[in-house]
Amino acid sequence: MNNIEAVIFDLDGVIVDTAIFHYQAWKRLANEMGFDLTIHQNEHLKGISRFESLDIVLEIGKINHLTKKEKEVLATRKNEWYKENILKMTPNDILPGVKMFLQKLKSANYKIAIGSSSKNAGIILERIGYQNYFDAVVDGNKIAFSKPDPEVFMKAANELKVNPRNCVVFEDAAAGIEAAHNAGMKAIGVGEHDVLCKADAIISDFKNVDISVFNKLIKY
Ligand code: BG6
Ligand code: MG
């Protein structure tokens, strides 16, 4: 048996496929400035804050002369494009298998939380009908440091009143796996092996995943 009491989910790329909307918006911004952003480079933007992401994008484009104000304008522009997409989301955008897995967790009395770096998490949860579903939601508005800092997951554990050692995190970003480990939690990667190689277990998606997935963590 495992000692997991609470399950913390990243949002973008785990519950919903908004990671692609982030990529499209950053790529559009890069293209407007005259350079490209590859899907591989985009992996480094996952899990980190909007402004940290912008800094990486600008570094890729070798643009290093912008003022804070100019950067704010760019970040806002990217966010407006991103919001056009998330505002169209519906409960049908919940990734396959997620709904069922969450129901199984609730029935088995696990506590569930969202731990996301996004300031748009509230909008997304509302669009997909999950605004009151989780026992705790910690998002980009509640934290000072983004992943791989453990703050977001520590706050979630604190809100749930569960010891971090008894929490497991589902994450699609390398920075998120690191954040979970920095919080003393187990981490299950959702996605590709090469990106998530530091995770304690990896699933490709939530189709057919049930609570027995935690048994993969026993050896840790
Ligand atoms: C994370 C995403 O969930 O949120 C990152 O993985 C994103 O790619 C970050 O940069 C911040 O999101 P937002 O919505 O506040 O710009
Ligand atoms: Mg993510």
Side-chain angles (χ1 to χ4, degrees):
M1 286 301 291
N2 62 69
N3 58 352
I4 302 298
E5 292 171 24
V7 188
I8 307 175
F9 292 83
D10 173 44
L11 179 63
D12 293 323
V14 170
I15 303 280
V16 284
D17 196 12
T18 39
I20 186 72
F21 297 150
H22 279 296
Y23 174 49
Q24 286 165 351
W26 285 124
K27 189 177 165 78
R28 182 170 169 185
L29 194 72
N31 290 169
E32 277 198 359
M33 292 187 288
F35 59 95
D36 199 20
L37 179 74
T38 66
I39 199 115
H40 175 72
Q41 288 166 328
N42 183 62
E43 281 305 324
H44 301 290
L45 310 183
K46 288 189 182 171
I48 65 171
S49 74
R50 195 178 308 164
F51 279 92
E52 286 168 328
S53 298
L54 175 64
D55 280 338
I56 294 180
V57 171
L58 293 174
E59 206 180 303
I60 291 168
K62 299 192 173 52
I63 295 173
N64 47 27
H65 57 272
L66 299 184
T67 62
K68 196 166 171 248
K69 229 187 174 121
E70 288 169 325
K71 286 190 189 181
E72 267 164 23
V73 171
L74 291 177
T76 303
R77 197 131 118 249
K78 178 266 170 179
N79 194 47
E80 290 306 318
W81 293 330
Y82 175 71
K83 271 169 62 185
E84 279 172 21
N85 280 319
I86 57 170
L87 286 171
K88 287 185 221 150
M89 292 177 79
T90 72
N92 290 334
D93 290 301
I94 298 169
L95 283 167
V98 168
K99 228 173 183 164
M100 182 72 90
F101 183 56
L102 289 172
Q103 276 164 12
K104 285 179 188 162
L105 290 174
K106 281 203 172 206
S107 310
N109 287 323
Y110 286 90
K111 290 186 176 173
I112 56 171
I114 290 288
S116 166
S117 304
S118 172
K119 295 191 169 171
N120 292 303
I123 301 178
I124 295 172
L125 290 173
E126 205 179 318
R127 294 297 314 164
I128 63 175
Y130 274 167
Q131 63 271 46
N132 296 314
Y133 195 77
F134 291 86
D135 300 305
V137 174
V138 180
D139 66 13
N141 299 297
K142 288 191 179 174
I143 53 170
F145 307 102
S146 49
K147 302 164 189 175
D149 190 281
E151 184 184 12
V152 67
F153 296 137
M154 295 299 275
K155 279 210 163 153
N158 193 41
E159 285 195 22
L160 295 174
K161 299 188 174 52
V162 173
N163 188 318
R165 302 226 151 269
N166 302 120
C167 296
V168 62
V169 170
F170 282 93
E171 255 295 346
D172 71 320
I177 301 289
E178 221 181 308
H181 286 158
N182 287 339
M185 300 176 182
K186 319 278 188 305
I188 300 180
V190 185
E192 308 289 333
H193 263 267
D194 50 347
V195 179
L196 303 166
C197 54
K198 293 200 177 138
D200 302 307
I202 298 180
I203 56 171
S204 48
D205 55 48
F206 283 95
K207 285 179 217 155
N208 307 315
V209 169
D210 65 24
I211 290 157
S212 65
V213 70
F214 301 143
N215 296 338
K216 292 185 183 179
L217 304 168
I218 284 174
K219 59 184 171 82
Y220 294 94

